[in-house]
């Protein structure tokens, strides 16, 4: 089945550690995104990538890093510099980053990160 | 002030009721408007997509956009317990590669009880 796979579903991180969240899609989409969701704040954009080997910062990129070495993969690293990393992280993708009708954004099932 | 405001609820209605969910926004550049449904601990799924002003209907769901008032709504007719979820409005401006950069409301928690 086509879709977006995020792993792990649940992750615990100690203070000062870096962790990497995996996101893989087999939809042949060019654009991929990472959002963070906190209670009562909706979703906020961390990073996005329009094509392979290219990515841009979103609204809350500080303390995060990404790479886009393959079209199907867009891993997110939560670094020790991120002061409040406990959240629900959502990966998404769309066929194209261009604005046009029908260019739907699909989300993965999310990854829960808790700092202990 | 946030670009998109959405009443977080929670909203509790009996089965069969008509539900109205709303968002207001301040950015006049927004042209694409979406409603997502999110079940607990799951990723959001797209329910409705509207471009510019007007109405769009899909089964029990109707989306309305009033750009002059910067106000969008989602109506659910004959609500079912399976509609219980968090509903998120999302918006994007037109032009270039801005589509994927959605701005979301805070989400409204809806419970439909039998």
């Amino acid at each position: 089945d086509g879709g977006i796979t995020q792993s792990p579903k649940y992750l615990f991180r100690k203070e000062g550690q870096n962790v990497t969240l995996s996101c893989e899609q087999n939809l042949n989409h060019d654009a991929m995104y990472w959002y963070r969701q906190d209670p009562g704040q909706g979703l906020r954009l961390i990073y996005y990538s329009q094509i392979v080997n290219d990515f841009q910062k979103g609204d809350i990129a500080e303390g995060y890093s990404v790479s886009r070495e393959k079209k199907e993969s867009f891993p997110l690293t939560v670094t020790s510099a991120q002061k409040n990393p406990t959240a629900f992280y959502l990966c998404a993708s769309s066929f194209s980053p261009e604005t046009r009708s029908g260019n739907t954004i699909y989300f993965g099932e999310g990854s829960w990160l808790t700092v202990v | 002030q946030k670009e998109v405001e959405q009443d977080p609820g929670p909203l509790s209605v009996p089965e069969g009721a008509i539900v109205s969910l709303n968002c207001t926004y301040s950015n006049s550049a927004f042209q694409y408007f979406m409603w997502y449904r999110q079940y607990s601990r799951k990723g959001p799924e797209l329910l409705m997509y509207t471009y510019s002003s007007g109405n769009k209907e899909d089964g029990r769901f109707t989306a309305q956009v009033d750009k002059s008032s910067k106000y969008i709504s989602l109506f659910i007719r004959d609500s079912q317990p399976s509609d219980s979820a968090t509903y998120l409005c999302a918006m994007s401006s037109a032009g270039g590669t801005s589509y994927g950069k959605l701005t979301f409301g805070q989400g409204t928690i809806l419970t439909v009880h039998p």
Side-chain angles (χ1 to χ4, degrees), chain B residues 67-113:
Chain B
K67 290 191 69 182
S68 62
S69 301
K70 296 189 176 67
Y71 187 88
I72 70 170
S73 300
L74 177 71
F75 297 96
I76 307 174
R77 293 184 298 279
D78 188 25
S79 56
Q80 303 294 311
S82 58
D83 295 327
S84 298
T86 297
Y87 289 80
L88 298 152
C89 63
M91 309 176 187
S92 176
S93 56
T97 56
S98 60
Y99 178 83
K101 295 165 64 177
L102 299 178
T103 301
F104 284 83
Q106 302 95 310
T108 299
I109 300 170
L110 171 67
T111 301
V112 181
H113 51 86

Side-chain angles (χ1 to χ4, degrees), chain A:
Chain A
D1 288 347
I4 302 172
T5 302
Q6 289 187 239
S7 63
K9 179 70 174 177
Y10 299 96
L11 184 62
F12 296 89
R13 190 196 91 171
K14 292 183 180 179
E15 295 273 359
Q17 279 185 338
N18 292 355
V19 294
T20 298
L21 307 179
S22 170
C23 178
E24 303 279 332
Q25 54 98 359
N26 60 4
L27 300 167
N28 199 32
H29 285 174
D30 282 326
M32 296 188 74
Y33 317 86
W34 274 104
Y35 284 87
R36 168 178 171 147
Q37 187 174 29
D38 296 278
Q41 294 195 46
L43 278 69
R44 293 179 291 168
L45 182 65
I46 305 173
Y47 266 98
Y48 64 102
S49 169
Q50 299 171 356
I51 56 172
V52 175
N53 293 323
D54 182 68
F55 48 83
Q56 286 84 40
K57 293 181 179 180
D59 300 320
I60 55 165
E62 185 176 352
Y64 300 98
S65 65
V66 294
S67 63
R68 187 85 187 276
E69 297 176 1
K70 298 186 299 182
K71 185 176 183 177
E72 341 40 278
S73 179
F74 191 42
L76 173 74
T77 296
V78 185
T79 75
S80 56
Q82 169 49 234
K83 300 196 184 322
N84 186 20
T86 296
F88 188 43
Y89 290 87
L90 287 158
C91 179
S93 70
S94 61
F95 182 72
S96 163
E98 296 174 357
T99 302
R100 61 170 184 247
S101 178
N103 191 17
T104 304
I105 290 180
Y106 297 90
F107 284 86
E109 290 293 279
S111 293
W112 289 88
L113 173 62
T114 303
V115 173
V116 296

